[in-house]
Amino acid sequence: MTVRLSLSLIATLAALPACAQSFERGERNTDLQPQDPSQFRAPLETSDIEISQDVVASGLEHPWGIEVLPDGGGYLVTERPGRLRHVAPDGTLSDPISGVPEVVAERQGGLLDVALSPDFAETRRVYLSYAKPVGDNLSATAAAYGTLSEDLSSLTDVTDIFVQTPGSTAPMHFGSRVVFDDAGHVFVTTGEHSTRKYRHYAQDLDKTYGKVVRLTGDGDVPSDNPFVDTEGARPEIWSLGQRNIQGAMMRDGQLWTIEHGPQGGDELNLIEPGKNYGWPVISYGQNYNGSTIGDGIAQMEGMEQPVYFWDPVIAPAGMMTYDGSAFADWQGDVLISSLYPGGIVRLELDGNTVAAEERVLMDLGRVRDVETDADGTILLITDQPDGALIRLSPATSG
């Protein structure tokens, strides 16, 4: 099979295989001190691992989410302009899968995450998150499910389970990841649409901006959600006060998210029901013009602290706990895709505390999502006009 390579990918391949690079963090944007030293700048490590990079498929336009199909069935990849594609194990790229909902493909909007239902083997249900047009030139984060045909060519019975309210004029900060727990719930993360007009909605319980929402797989509101009995609150809300959550995962039965800060202040959070994570009242970052966020404070009673934060930013997107065998030394570590400066950020956790950090393969550019394949190799996608699905594996001698 012939694989078409962009110049950026050719440059990447020319450096293969490679070891993880040494790294210096650079100057901070603020001097706000962490509440606990463990929240910031854990010791930097460098893995003694040579890593091979292989392009599985190229020619993807701003890919955003990736999901591994069972039984060696290849991969589903979203493209932000509104296409869902199947990538075969040999890299063959399908025509766009039909039945995908209409998206607002503007700025940061479009088709976003893709996730298989936990019972996909029986139902063939696939979940998508996306920027949905909601009338009057407004858009909102939405999540839907559909049934994937056996021949991988179409989605049918596509049904929204969540539509953010109210609609927004700003096609920015949509979030959005979709993850599942072991009890049949689906979590959808959102953003707060960025602008000063909207960012304060992250604190409002009658709006689903800057929130994690929790639903059943069919879109119903669980009776034990924290705000079900709160007058005026959206009952689907699970947590609030978040800026733009583009990464989420379940780890040891707990929901973790990672969100974009402004200039500084990217956050890794352990999510608890009903808790307020502070945005835009507290932040370890600042506005892009150098002015303070709110009163310029990073701690306040009644608002949660991040487990860890970055300044300067890593611009985090996808995240996962590595559970494969190919990179044995990384077993149980958290891998985060970085859009800027790019590459992979690896965290070693000691319980719920970040014990060490590493920057891996920072020449990859904008890495939007990361997954583990069945053989333990690592899959990632690069967010470029000519993006790629790339496989990372330990380099073999010779």
Side-chain angles (χ1 to χ4, degrees):
M1 182 191 71
T2 300
V3 179
R4 180 165 56 90
L5 301 180
S6 67
L7 291 176
S8 61
L9 285 174
I10 292 171
T12 298
L13 289 173
L16 309 186
C19 291
Q21 303 99 326
S22 61
F23 177 76
E24 294 183 2
R25 290 183 168 110
E27 295 185 5
R28 292 195 61 186
N29 292 284
T30 78
D31 59 1
L32 296 166
Q33 296 304 302
Q35 188 175 82
D36 187 282
S38 68
Q39 293 176 277
F40 187 59
R41 296 200 169 182
L44 284 173
E45 289 190 346
T46 302
S47 296
D48 187 21
I49 301 174
E50 282 196 348
I51 301 173
S52 289
Q53 306 168 40
D54 299 295
V55 177
V56 179
S58 64
L60 293 159
E61 186 177 359
H62 291 292
W64 209 96
I66 177 174
E67 186 69 294
V68 179
L69 289 166
D71 303 321
Y75 318 101
L76 295 178
V77 177
T78 60
E79 293 175 289
R80 189 155 43 82
R83 295 181 291 270
L84 175 66
R85 294 190 187 267
H86 173 246
V87 180
D90 68 357
T92 301
L93 195 63
S94 76
D95 291 333
I97 294 171
S98 66
V100 172
E102 179 187 0
V103 307
V104 175
E106 298 177 14
R107 301 289 295 275
Q108 295 176 1
L111 187 59
L112 305 175
D113 201 17
V114 56
L116 301 184
S117 173
D119 62 357
F120 175 80
E122 294 77 37
T123 65
R124 298 194 64 80
R125 182 176 284 191
V126 174
Y127 288 78
L128 301 169
S129 64
Y130 66 105
K132 180 182 179 70
V134 292
D136 297 326
N137 293 317
L138 303 176
S139 59
T141 300
Y145 66 76
T147 303
L148 182 64
S149 63
E150 293 284 349
D151 66 0
L152 308 174
S153 67
S154 66
L155 283 179
T156 57
D157 303 319
V158 175
T159 304
D160 282 333
I161 62 166
F162 168 73
V163 179
Q164 186 182 52
T165 184
S168 170
T169 58
M172 304 283 286
H173 291 197
F174 291 91
S176 163
R177 293 288 171 187
V178 178
V179 296
F180 308 92
D181 65 13
D182 292 331
H185 302 115
V186 56
F187 296 87
V188 182
T189 71
T190 77
E192 37 65 287
H193 292 279
S194 181
T195 68
R196 291 181 183 272
K197 173 183 177 181
Y198 292 123
R199 62 170 55 173
H200 291 279
Y201 289 0
Q203 289 292 319
D204 293 350
L205 287 174
D206 62 345
K207 303 175 181 69
T208 48
Y209 285 44
K211 308 293 194 300
V212 175
V213 302
R214 177 185 184 245
L215 301 162
T216 70
D218 291 330
D220 297 323
V221 175
S223 60
D224 60 345
N225 271 12
F227 299 109
V228 164
D229 298 321
T230 302
E231 184 176 357
R234 299 292 305 184
E236 64 267 36
I237 292 173
W238 187 248
S239 64
L240 67 150
Q242 287 133 322
R243 186 171 182 267
N244 187 23
I245 310 170
Q246 292 191 346
M249 67 177 182
M250 296 300 298
R251 179 183 173 94
D252 298 328
Q254 297 176 298
L255 177 65
W256 293 71
T257 65
I258 193 163
E259 67 183 81
H260 290 266
Q263 189 164 261
D266 290 348
E267 293 185 3
L268 175 69
N269 284 302
L270 177 57
I271 302 301
E272 298 183 55
K275 295 297 180 67
N276 185 337
Y277 290 82
W279 179 259
V281 180
I282 59 174
S283 173
Y284 283 101
Q286 63 182 7
N287 289 309
Y288 295 112
N289 63 8
S291 63
T292 61
I293 303 295
D295 291 333
I297 58 175
Q299 298 153 30
M300 179 178 286
E301 185 176 354
M303 294 185 175
E304 301 303 302
Q305 284 289 296
V307 170
Y308 197 71
F309 70 91
W310 288 266
D311 183 13
V313 301
I314 60 168
M319 66 186 300
M320 69 173 188
T321 296
Y322 180 72
D323 61 357
S325 57
F327 294 90
D329 291 344
W330 292 356
Q331 183 69 226
D333 293 347
V334 176
L335 302 183
I336 301 161
S337 60
S338 166
L339 298 169
Y340 182 83
I344 303 270
V345 176
R346 182 180 66 87
L347 301 180
E348 292 182 14
L349 266 59
D350 180 5
N352 294 333
T353 300
V354 176
E357 178 179 354
E358 180 181 14
R359 307 297 172 92
V360 181
L361 299 176
M362 296 178 64
D363 58 350
L364 287 167
R366 292 172 58 85
V367 180
R368 176 60 72 175
D369 199 9
V370 58
E371 287 287 346
T372 306
D373 206 351
D375 62 358
T377 57
I378 295 169
L379 300 165
L380 56 87
I381 47 178
T382 56
D383 185 356
Q384 304 287 354
D386 184 8
L389 170 60
I390 297 173
R391 183 185 306 279
L392 307 182
S393 56
T396 57
S397 60

